Amino acid sequence: MSKLIGMMGRKLGMTQVFAGDGQVVPVTVLEVGPCTVLQKKTIKREGYNALQFGFSPNPLSRLKLPEQGHVKKAGLSHGFRYIKEISVDDPDAFEVGQVLTLKDMDMSRLVDVVGVSKGRGFSGTVKRHGFSRGPMGHGSKHHRAVGSVGQSAYPSRVIKGRKMPGRMGGSRVTVKNSMVVDVRPDDNLLLVKGGIPGAINQLIYVRLK
């Protein structure tokens, strides 16, 4: 059977485990799968090979009518909160309605984890870019201000790309080469070393190297 190169899941939180040599290893616990195949896409029909699968069941009453029809066509009685496509070599190795778990992934020692970082709202340059602050004494009028952003004469404008205050976080972040500490396929759990961007229960995507 063809193996998957990635699967959706969610971040459950962080904890620590003890390695064989007694070292404490900080890990992020990820619930990976189960995902259900909704549609197979082939080169003959769509021009490329891929699988469309859903994660996190959602009642039909919460879906729009076109989405309900798409789910019913796959022979399912419920929908999903998240739907994603993933490239595969042989879509015919999978069946529509098949439930995919960690056992269907040829897990390697290193994985890439894609998530969405926590949104921080409109942030200043000290928090957003790590700028140094000014003196905090009573006489100072420059505590956490931006400072100079350009020249008064030439070129008389702010150069594009200047680091300034703005929206921080809430963006797609990929953590590459995360070390797999433990795999528990019976519980759909994957433990990776270190932190993963996003809040608890945030949607993540685990991609094999």
Side-chain angles (χ1 to χ4, degrees):
M1 181 178 177
S2 179
K3 291 289 185 179
L4 291 173
I5 62 171
M7 193 178 296
M8 286 189 292
R10 63 192 182 104
K11 174 181 174 180
L12 297 183
M14 291 196 69
T15 184
Q16 60 186 23
V17 296
F18 289 91
D21 57 357
Q23 292 288 327
V24 177
V25 181
V27 297
T28 301
V29 183
L30 306 176
E31 180 189 16
V32 182
C35 297
T36 305
V37 179
L38 288 175
Q39 185 181 4
K40 295 191 294 184
K41 300 198 173 184
T42 60
I43 293 179
K44 183 177 180 180
R45 190 169 59 243
E46 283 84 14
Y48 62 97
N49 287 333
L51 283 182
Q52 184 188 89
F53 53 80
F55 173 72
S56 186
N58 209 19
L60 284 178
S61 60
R62 291 182 175 270
L63 302 182
K64 297 179 180 179
L65 288 179
E67 295 172 335
Q68 292 183 20
H70 186 59
V71 170
K72 290 178 180 178
K73 188 176 180 180
L76 301 175
S77 59
H78 60 82
F80 299 93
R81 290 187 63 193
Y82 309 105
I83 296 177
K84 184 177 178 63
E85 273 191 16
I86 182 173
S87 176
V88 293
D89 295 330
D90 184 15
D92 293 329
F94 303 89
E95 297 296 332
V96 174
Q98 179 182 347
V99 178
L100 305 174
T101 64
L102 274 175
K103 297 178 181 179
D104 298 305
M105 295 179 66
D106 190 10
M107 192 59 63
S108 58
R109 184 170 175 80
L110 299 176
V111 295
D112 294 342
V113 183
V114 184
V116 178
S117 60
K118 290 182 179 179
R120 303 297 182 184
F122 194 96
S123 302
T125 53
V126 174
K127 180 175 183 178
R128 192 182 187 204
H129 301 296
F131 281 16
S132 298
R133 60 170 175 78
M136 298 304 287
H138 288 285
S140 172
K141 296 183 179 180
H142 180 80
H143 298 303
R144 296 172 66 94
V146 179
S148 175
V149 295
Q151 301 78 28
S152 60
Y154 179 82
S156 298
R157 61 187 175 88
V158 178
I159 304 298
K160 288 183 179 180
R162 176 71 65 192
K163 293 180 179 179
M164 298 183 73
R167 286 284 296 273
M168 179 181 176
S171 56
R172 177 186 169 107
V173 180
T174 301
V175 179
K176 295 186 176 182
N177 299 322
S178 295
M179 182 181 297
V180 176
V181 177
D182 193 10
V183 181
R184 302 174 186 176
D186 293 335
D187 299 322
N188 297 317
L189 295 182
L190 179 68
L191 277 62
V192 296
K193 184 178 180 180
I196 298 299
I200 293 177
N201 291 324
Q202 172 70 49
L203 177 71
I204 54 95
Y205 176 68
V206 177
R207 183 174 61 210
L208 298 182
K209 298 298 293 181

